[in-house]
Every structure is written in C-alpha cells, then in structure tokens.
C-alpha cells in the first residue's frame, strides 16, 4: 500500500487514469483537470508545476488519485481510508495550504491544521431525469460563438469572483469551450442574460460549469433554463452522466438544479489554512 507522486503527466495518464475513469463521478475533477493539462500544456492552470499521485492497494490496484496545480487547492479524487494518513503527511512536505475533497476525507486530511477553515462546501449532483423549467422564462438559448468572446471572458471572471475561485486563463478557457460548442447563452430580446458551460466528455461524463447570471438579472429563471439547455446538449452528444457542483451556501441554486432533475451524489469541502508550512 503506497502512494506514488510524480510531475510526469504521461505516467499518470498511463498508470492511474484508466482506474480513475472507472469511477468518473467521484473522480470528475481529477479527470477533467488532467485532460485539460494534456490538451493545453502543464501551465494551463498556473505557473506552478503540477503534481500527480495515485495509491495502490495491497493487491497492486490503483484505487486513489490526486492532482495539484499550484496555486489552486489540491484536488483529491476517490481515496480509501487507509490512504489518507500518508497523503496528509505528504502535504506537510509540499507546503499545501488548501484541499478540495469529499467532506469526510477533507476533514481527515486537514485534522492536524490548527488554523484550518472551511472556505467552501460543495455538493456534487448527477442528472437523473431532465425536467426543463415550466413555465420557461422569456427568451431562448443559443450556442455561444467567437462573437461572444469578450462577454464570456467577463462573465467567467465574474463567476470566479462570486464563488471565490478565480478563473485562471479565462481567455483560453473560453476559446477552448467555444471550439467544441461548450458554452450556451440564454437571450432575452436578443440580449444575453445568462450563461452555462460544459466540459468535454471524460470517461463518458460531462460536468456543467460554469453557470452565471449577472446580479441584476437573477431570480427570473434564466439560469435554470440555460442549464437545462446545455444539459440536454450534453445528453444529445452521448454523455452517459451529466454532473454539476453547487455551493451549499446558496440554497436558491441548489433548489433550481433539483427542480430540473439533478440529484445529490456527494458533498465536498475546500479546506484552507492561513499559515503556510515551511518546506525545507
């Protein structure tokens, strides 16, 4: 039973990705992050060198994965209980100051941090049966194009500010999603009023993100409508599962997604520390 850590993305993709793909919901963040790094390069999320890791069971089977793209939180996929302590010890060596993991795992990994704080609590949802909002708000959805680039970049950055998760490389992220039809807009009288995006398919799974409506236009059903639209687009493109995350501090959005057919899968937490350990 041991962790293997490496900066070699190809090694991770060859050794660990096939096992992680057997549980695409629990490993959705790790899978989409590593796929983006493969497509766009190792500095896609920032200038720090990414770190990849996998845990092998006594039988030699990979059943735990992580990826870290500094300065963002270390993303923990599905990991067994017996892998947590040694992973937490590795954190101290690396100087990790933020972790994103399933709630119980996040608590266990950061139990020794005297200055720990819950920065965000998230809930992962899976689409059960898509139920478009009724009545539907005024307007209609359309696929975003390069003509929408400036607005989409602005809204991606605003989404990051609202959620406390700054969007790295907003311009390139928008360009990439436009290239495969991964962004949709809801328009009212020809004016965009809400946005929803989706990831590329990974292990048969698509995740809806981001969903954003400017503050002055909220509460009118636009987000539900554009999310239902892009969820249908993901299904039509062949996705076996459609996922999305919500912020548990926002009961309104949780209710919106439940009404259009999303059901809870697991809760996650982003845990941070204020005093960064010194790496020697």
């Amino acid at each position: 039973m041991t962790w293997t850590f490496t900066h070699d993305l190809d090694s991770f993709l060859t050794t660990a990705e096939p096992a992680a793909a057997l549980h695409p919901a629990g490993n959705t963040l790790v899978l989409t992050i590593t796929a983006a790094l493969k497509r766009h390069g190792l500095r896609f999320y920032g200038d720090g060198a990414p770190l990849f890791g996998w845990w092998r069971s006594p039988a030699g089977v990979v059943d735990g994965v992580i990826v870290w793209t500094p300065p963002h939180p270390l993303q923990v996929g599905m990991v067994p209980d017996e892998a947590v302590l040694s992973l937490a010890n590795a954190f101290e060596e690396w100087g990790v100051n933020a972790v994103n993991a399933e709630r119980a795992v996040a608590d266990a990994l950061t139990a020794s941090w005297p200055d720990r704080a819950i920065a965000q609590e998230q809930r992962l949802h899976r689409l059960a049966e898509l139920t478009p909002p009724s009545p539907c708000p005024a307007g209609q959805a359309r696929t975003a194009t390069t003509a929408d680039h400036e607005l989409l970049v602005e809204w991606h950055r605003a989404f990051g500010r609202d959620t406390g998760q700054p969007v790295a490389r907003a311009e390139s992220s928008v360009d990439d999603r436009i290239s495969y039809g991964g962004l949709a807009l809801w328009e009212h009288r020809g004016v965009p009023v809400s946005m929803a995006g989706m990831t590329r398919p990974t292990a048969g799974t698509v995740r809806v993100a981001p969903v954003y409506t400017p503050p002055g236009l909220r509460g009118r059903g636009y987000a539900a409508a554009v999310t239902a639209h892009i969820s249908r687009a993901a299904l039509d493109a062949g996705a076996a599962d459609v996922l999305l995350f919500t912020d548990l501090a926002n009961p309104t959005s949780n209710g919106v997604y439940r009404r259009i057919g999303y059901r809870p899968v697991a809760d996650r937490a982003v845990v941070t520390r204020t005093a960064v350990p010194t790496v020697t």
Side-chain angles (χ1 to χ4, degrees):
M1 297 184 293
T2 183
W3 280 99
T4 299
F5 302 111
T6 181
H7 293 291
D8 186 342
L9 174 58
D10 288 338
S11 180
F12 176 88
L13 294 175
T14 299
T15 306
E17 184 191 41
L22 296 176
H23 306 282
N27 293 316
T28 179
L29 290 169
V30 173
L31 290 168
T32 53
I33 289 169
T34 53
L37 293 173
K38 179 181 179 181
R39 184 172 296 107
H40 302 292
L42 294 178
R43 297 300 190 268
F44 184 65
Y45 291 104
D47 294 329
L51 183 72
F52 313 96
W54 58 89
W55 169 267
R56 287 190 185 274
S57 71
V61 176
V62 173
D63 63 356
V65 291
I66 63 101
V67 61
W68 186 28
T69 55
H72 303 286
L74 186 144
Q75 303 287 347
V76 182
M78 297 180 67
V79 296
D81 292 343
E82 59 268 25
V84 172
L85 179 58
S86 55
L87 182 57
N89 291 337
F91 284 2
E92 295 301 313
E93 297 178 16
W94 303 333
V96 171
N97 65 347
V99 175
N100 184 333
E102 285 198 15
R103 183 56 193 264
V105 174
D107 288 342
L109 286 172
T110 61
S112 65
W113 293 0
D115 53 347
R116 69 191 298 275
I118 307 298
Q120 187 179 45
E121 293 179 292
Q122 304 169 325
R123 177 161 291 162
L124 177 64
H125 295 74
R126 177 187 286 113
L127 182 62
E129 183 176 351
L130 183 60
T131 307
S134 181
C136 187
Q140 61 186 3
R142 68 169 174 85
T143 302
T145 70
T146 54
D148 305 303
H149 183 271
E150 184 175 348
L151 175 66
L152 294 168
V153 170
E154 177 186 338
W155 281 4
H156 272 68
R157 289 174 174 159
F159 173 83
R161 290 192 297 269
D162 282 1
T163 60
Q165 302 175 69
V167 178
R169 311 291 197 268
E171 294 89 348
S172 53
S173 293
V174 167
D175 288 340
D176 179 55
R177 295 203 174 192
I178 288 175
S179 72
Y180 62 87
L183 286 167
L185 292 167
W186 191 267
E187 288 188 333
H188 181 217
R189 296 178 179 173
V191 178
V193 293
S194 190
M195 167 190 77
M198 64 177 176
T199 63
R200 293 177 186 268
T202 304
T205 299
V206 166
R207 192 172 70 254
V208 172
V211 177
Y212 179 76
T213 305
L217 297 171
R218 293 173 186 172
R220 306 182 191 186
Y222 298 143
V226 74
T227 300
H229 170 81
I230 206 152
S231 299
R232 171 53 62 192
L235 292 172
D236 290 346
D241 276 322
V242 183
L243 310 171
L244 62 75
F245 281 106
T246 60
D247 184 344
L248 284 176
N250 188 339
T252 299
S253 66
N254 281 270
V256 165
Y257 299 128
R258 183 171 57 251
R259 287 192 292 275
I260 64 174
Y262 283 88
R263 299 294 178 262
V265 175
D267 288 353
R268 295 180 67 90
V270 179
V271 182
T272 63
R273 64 190 308 177
T274 55
V276 181
T278 301
V279 180
T280 57

